[in-house]
Amino acid sequence: MMTELEKLDAGLEFCFADPEVEARKGNAVTLCRELNSIPHTDRNKQREVITMLFGSAGKILRFCPVFNVITERISMWEKTFWPTTT
């Protein structure tokens, strides 16, 4: 039998309140806070945190705060640009 985290990783229906899933969500929130606090000029630190959040990052990386996700290890395209809102 698969754990809820294994189901999440496989793209299957899972229990959002499972303790392992909750821990992953908490880590994603922490990493988003860290990412949003990095100066926009520090591309190396942004890449480091984005890689921790998503598992990998493409060659061209441009990030505009504020960015939030509800879980980590999701896939992004090779070139992704996030607009800012005011």
Side-chain angles (χ1 to χ4, degrees):
M1 180 172 207
M2 295 175 79
T3 67
E4 298 304 308
L5 201 54
E6 290 169 333
K7 292 176 190 177
L8 181 150
D9 289 340
L12 303 172
E13 188 174 315
F14 64 94
C15 177
F16 205 67
D18 177 78
E20 287 182 305
V21 174
E22 287 281 346
R24 185 175 283 185
K25 289 186 298 189
N27 191 51
V29 169
T30 299
L31 290 171
C32 283
R33 281 190 190 130
E34 182 177 351
L35 181 58
N36 288 322
S37 71
I38 298 169
H40 72 280
T41 55
D42 193 345
R43 302 277 187 221
N44 291 331
K45 184 64 176 173
Q46 285 180 344
R47 176 174 299 284
E48 177 185 324
V49 175
I50 286 171
T51 300
M52 289 189 302
L53 188 60
F54 296 113
S56 65
K59 293 178 185 177
I60 300 172
L61 181 65
R62 297 294 179 259
F63 166 77
C64 299
V66 167
F67 180 75
N68 291 295
V69 297
I70 57 170
T71 188
E72 60 188 12
R73 304 287 182 193
I74 61 174
S75 299
M76 298 298 284
W77 294 291
E78 178 68 21
K79 296 179 182 177
T80 302
F81 299 86
W82 293 285
T84 59
T85 57
T86 56

